[in-house]
């Protein structure tokens, strides 16, 4: 990584939250008896299953309600952070109360007493607040390097425009060649220098580049714009990618007898079959609500582009009013009037996508991959966005890296942003990345954050 890994920050937050839970529990066990308070108990025998339940529940709900997400934000509004921590604490308290009511443990299980939980969670909220503020200030993490850009006018504008498409805490600062010597003399903070391809070939800067080649790589890193976006934003903007910057033979997917590719297909089949079985009651209920809403058809059949751009038919639960035959393909906009009342809820929790599990079973789709687009819209996208057809080098998916990282596409500019994530996924495909996408998709479904 060229700077602090954002996932390292999340891991530290998780570990420190766990440490705080255990420290506060120890204080609850030791301090009240010393002060003759009656708050809990002094024995941990019989409490361990509940301790494990609470220790796992709090970070799970914190992940769901975004108390870890704020660590990624460019700015950290204190009110929002406090709201999310209090919401996590309240949800944890409610979940423990429900579990206690369902299981009805004996009186000796004092950990689930309401007064104990309130003291524990109020103290933990304060601890978690300090942890997040400390991590935002660089506690336990390496310093963020200076990000500098040396490029010609045209390349500089293109790189900066792409950089600003995604909210980023780190600022990319353009500099002139004459400013570079002064920047190289500063060794108080590490530096990442991004050099555009054209400026790198400028003979007038040969002495500067020789200086860079002998610089301490622990303090000064020289990267291309492509590498900068891969490392810092986990995407590949199409406009910055060279014509041969991404070849099929370079993809992990293209390796002969790839174990990860075989594992992906096996997981697709098994998980899709299991999900179809488990969600069939939900699909039946949704079908009934769709019919009840406007007495129209339940399913919506649409042609999409699949592997290598070959068309295939997807089956979705209908979420829009019935369109007249021959209606032109148009983008779905925020607050689109065509979306029905029931359809709006189905789209929020993505239940309308469940029938596509049948496409996964027969191999036309994968659980994770670039989302399939309508061929009519792709004709226009291919004219405006370079490298667009390369997204067809992998089977389309129910969810993908672009779906969990970028907003809903409703324009050519949005599609360009989403393609940058699809291209990154193609180059960095792995089982670990698929699992990360899966967990973030589950979070979107649980929060009803779909469109």
């Amino acid at each position: 990584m060229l700077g602090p890994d954002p996932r390292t920050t999340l891991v530290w937050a998780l570990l420190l939250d766990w440490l705080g839970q255990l420290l506060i529990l120890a204080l609850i066990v030791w301090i009240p008896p010393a002060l003759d308070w009656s708050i809990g108990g002094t024995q941990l025998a019989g409490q361990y299953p509940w301790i494990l339940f609470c220790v796992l529940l709090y970070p799970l709900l914190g992940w769901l309600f975004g108390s870890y997400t704020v660590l990624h934000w460019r700015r950290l509004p204190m009110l929002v952070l406090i709201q999310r921590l209090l919401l996590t604490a309240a949800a944890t308290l409610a979940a423990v109360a429900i579990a206690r009511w369902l299981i009805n443990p004996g009186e000796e299980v004092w950990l689930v007493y309401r007064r104990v939980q309130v003291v524990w969670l109020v103290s933990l909220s304060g601890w978690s607040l300090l942890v997040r503020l400390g991590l935002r200030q660089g506690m336990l993490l390496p310093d963020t390097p200076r990000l500098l850009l040396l490029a010609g006018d045209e390349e500089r504008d293109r790189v900066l425009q792409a950089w600003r498409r995604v909210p980023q805490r780190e600022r990319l600062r353009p500099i002139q060649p004459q400013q570079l010597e002064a920047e190289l003399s500063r060794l108080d903070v590490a530096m990442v220098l991004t050099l555009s391809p054209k400026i790198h070939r400028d003979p007038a800067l040969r002495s500067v580049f020789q200086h860079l080649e002998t610089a301490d790589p622990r303090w000064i890193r020289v990267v291309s714009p492509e590498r900068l976006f891969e490392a810092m934003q986990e995407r590949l903007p199409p406009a910055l990618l060279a014509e041969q910057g991404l070849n099929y033979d370079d993809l992990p997917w293209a390796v002969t007898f790839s174990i990860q590719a075989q594992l992906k297909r096996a997981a697709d089949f098994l998980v899709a079959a299991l999900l179809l079985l488990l969600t069939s009651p939900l699909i039946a209920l949704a079908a009934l609500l769709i019919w009840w809403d406007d007495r129209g058809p339940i399913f919506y059949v649409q042609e999409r582009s699949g592997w290598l751009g070959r068309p295939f038919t997807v089956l979705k639960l209908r979420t829009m009013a019935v369109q007249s035959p021959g209606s032109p393909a148009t983008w779905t906009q925020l607050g689109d009037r065509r979306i029905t009342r029931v359809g709006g809820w189905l789209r929020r929790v993505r239940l309308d996508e469940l029938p596509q599990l049948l496409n996964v079973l027969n191999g036309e789709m994968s659980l994770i991959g670039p989302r399939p687009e309508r061929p009519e819209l792709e004709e226009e996208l291919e004219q405006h966005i370079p490298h667009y057809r390369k997204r067809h080098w992998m089977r389309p998916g129910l969810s993908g890296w672009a779906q969990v990282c970028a907003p809903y596409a409703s324009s050519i500019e949005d599609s360009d942003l989403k393609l940058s994530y699809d291209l990154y996924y193609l180059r960095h495909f792995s089982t670990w990345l698929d699992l990360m996408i899966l967990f973030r998709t589950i979070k979107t479904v649980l929060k009803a954050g779909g469109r």
Side-chain angles (χ1 to χ4, degrees):
M1 291 296 293
L2 303 182
D5 186 351
R7 296 187 187 92
T8 301
T9 308
L10 297 183
V11 170
W12 273 115
L14 174 62
L15 294 176
L16 290 171
D17 280 350
W18 277 337
L19 176 62
Q21 285 180 284
L22 298 178
L23 289 176
I24 293 168
L25 176 62
L27 294 176
I28 291 175
V29 171
W30 293 334
I31 291 181
L35 300 178
D36 198 25
W37 292 348
S38 178
I39 187 174
T42 58
Q43 301 296 323
L44 291 178
Q47 316 291 322
Y48 294 111
W50 288 97
I51 292 176
L52 180 62
F53 174 68
C54 294
V55 165
L56 295 178
L57 179 65
Y58 181 81
L60 176 63
L61 292 175
W63 167 73
L64 181 61
F65 292 116
S67 72
Y68 295 98
T69 306
V70 295
L71 292 168
H72 292 309
W73 290 3
R74 178 181 298 179
R75 298 180 181 85
L76 185 63
M78 183 63 66
L79 181 59
V80 173
L81 176 57
I82 293 174
Q83 286 175 340
R84 294 195 173 194
L85 290 174
L86 292 179
L87 182 59
T88 300
T92 304
L93 183 64
V96 172
I98 293 173
R100 179 186 181 189
W101 175 73
L102 292 173
I103 298 176
N104 192 25
E107 292 296 323
E108 69 279 3
V109 183
W110 53 267
L111 180 63
V112 294
Y113 291 174
R114 185 175 302 170
R115 59 181 178 273
V116 176
Q117 285 289 315
V118 168
V119 171
W120 191 0
L121 291 169
V122 169
S123 303
L124 184 57
S125 296
W127 169 274
S128 298
L129 177 63
L130 294 177
V131 165
R132 281 147 182 79
L133 293 177
L135 290 174
R136 287 284 295 202
Q137 296 301 317
M139 179 185 71
L140 303 175
L141 298 170
D143 292 332
T144 301
R146 293 171 289 156
L147 300 183
L148 305 178
L149 171 64
L150 182 59
D153 293 343
E154 183 179 346
E155 289 181 307
R156 182 188 62 233
D157 294 342
R158 189 163 61 245
V159 171
L160 291 176
Q161 182 180 13
W163 183 262
R164 293 163 183 159
R165 288 294 308 274
V166 176
Q168 191 79 11
R169 287 182 60 192
E170 294 79 13
R171 175 173 173 255
L172 179 60
R173 183 163 65 90
I175 61 171
Q176 297 298 326
Q178 58 270 24
Q179 298 174 301
L180 184 56
E181 291 289 349
E183 293 291 345
L184 291 175
S185 64
R186 290 181 54 192
L187 294 179
D188 54 335
V189 180
M191 179 180 74
V192 174
L193 176 63
T194 303
L195 293 178
S196 69
K198 289 183 179 180
I199 203 77
H200 203 284
R201 296 191 294 266
D202 189 345
L205 299 175
R206 184 173 301 170
S207 61
V208 175
F209 297 145
Q210 289 176 346
H211 187 176
L212 289 174
E213 291 174 356
T214 60
D216 189 339
R218 295 171 298 176
W219 288 94
I220 301 174
R221 297 282 302 277
V222 181
V223 299
S224 66
E226 179 182 322
R227 172 60 182 151
L228 178 74
F229 278 88
E230 276 190 295
M232 302 296 289
Q233 294 191 357
E234 296 182 310
R235 66 189 189 97
L236 283 171
L240 303 181
L241 196 60
E243 183 64 31
Q244 300 300 322
L246 185 64
N247 295 311
Y248 184 80
D249 292 336
D250 299 331
L251 306 184
W253 180 263
V255 177
T256 305
F257 303 117
S258 168
I259 295 178
Q260 290 196 104
Q262 300 302 319
L263 180 61
K264 180 181 179 70
R265 178 55 193 150
D268 281 344
F269 186 86
L270 294 176
V271 175
L274 180 61
L275 284 177
L276 200 57
L277 179 64
L278 295 177
T279 60
S280 54
L282 291 176
I283 296 175
L285 176 61
L288 181 62
L289 291 174
I290 292 170
W291 177 85
W292 173 79
D293 189 29
D294 60 7
R295 299 299 192 274
I298 295 171
F299 294 103
Y300 177 61
V301 178
Q302 191 177 74
E303 187 178 85
R304 297 287 179 99
S305 296
W307 164 253
L308 299 181
R310 297 166 184 166
F312 72 103
T313 302
V314 297
L315 186 66
K316 300 178 62 175
L317 292 171
R318 183 175 60 85
T319 60
M320 291 187 174
V322 179
Q323 304 295 303
S324 59
S327 298
T330 57
W331 300 101
T332 302
Q333 303 292 335
L334 183 64
D336 200 309
R337 294 179 178 271
R338 296 173 297 171
I339 300 175
T340 64
R341 292 175 299 174
V342 173
W345 286 102
L346 294 179
R347 294 171 75 95
R348 288 179 66 88
V349 295
R350 298 194 174 180
L351 281 179
D352 61 315
E353 309 284 357
L354 287 178
Q356 292 175 47
L357 291 170
L358 296 172
N359 295 107
V360 177
L361 288 176
N362 64 25
E364 294 171 325
M365 292 181 64
S366 175
L367 291 175
I368 306 297
R371 282 293 295 158
E373 189 55 86
R374 298 183 65 174
E376 307 95 299
L377 295 177
E378 285 194 323
E379 293 178 4
E380 182 181 9
L381 295 175
E382 289 175 14
Q383 295 176 5
H384 292 87
I385 306 176
H387 305 285
Y388 185 86
R389 288 198 65 83
K390 291 180 180 179
R391 71 194 302 272
H392 296 312
W393 286 350
M394 185 174 283
R395 286 184 178 87
L398 281 175
S399 184
W401 189 234
Q403 276 57 51
V404 299
C405 292
Y408 193 89
S410 57
S411 66
I412 294 176
E413 291 74 19
D414 292 343
S415 297
D416 180 89
L417 177 63
K418 298 192 81 126
L419 178 63
S420 68
Y421 289 104
D422 286 334
L423 296 177
Y424 178 90
Y425 177 77
L426 289 177
R427 178 177 283 181
H428 296 276
F429 158 73
S430 67
T431 302
W432 169 248
L433 183 56
D434 275 6
L435 288 174
M436 190 188 309
I437 296 170
L438 177 62
F439 286 126
R440 292 178 66 169
T441 302
I442 292 173
K443 180 179 179 179
T444 300
V445 171
L446 292 177
K447 294 180 65 176
R451 267 186 57 185

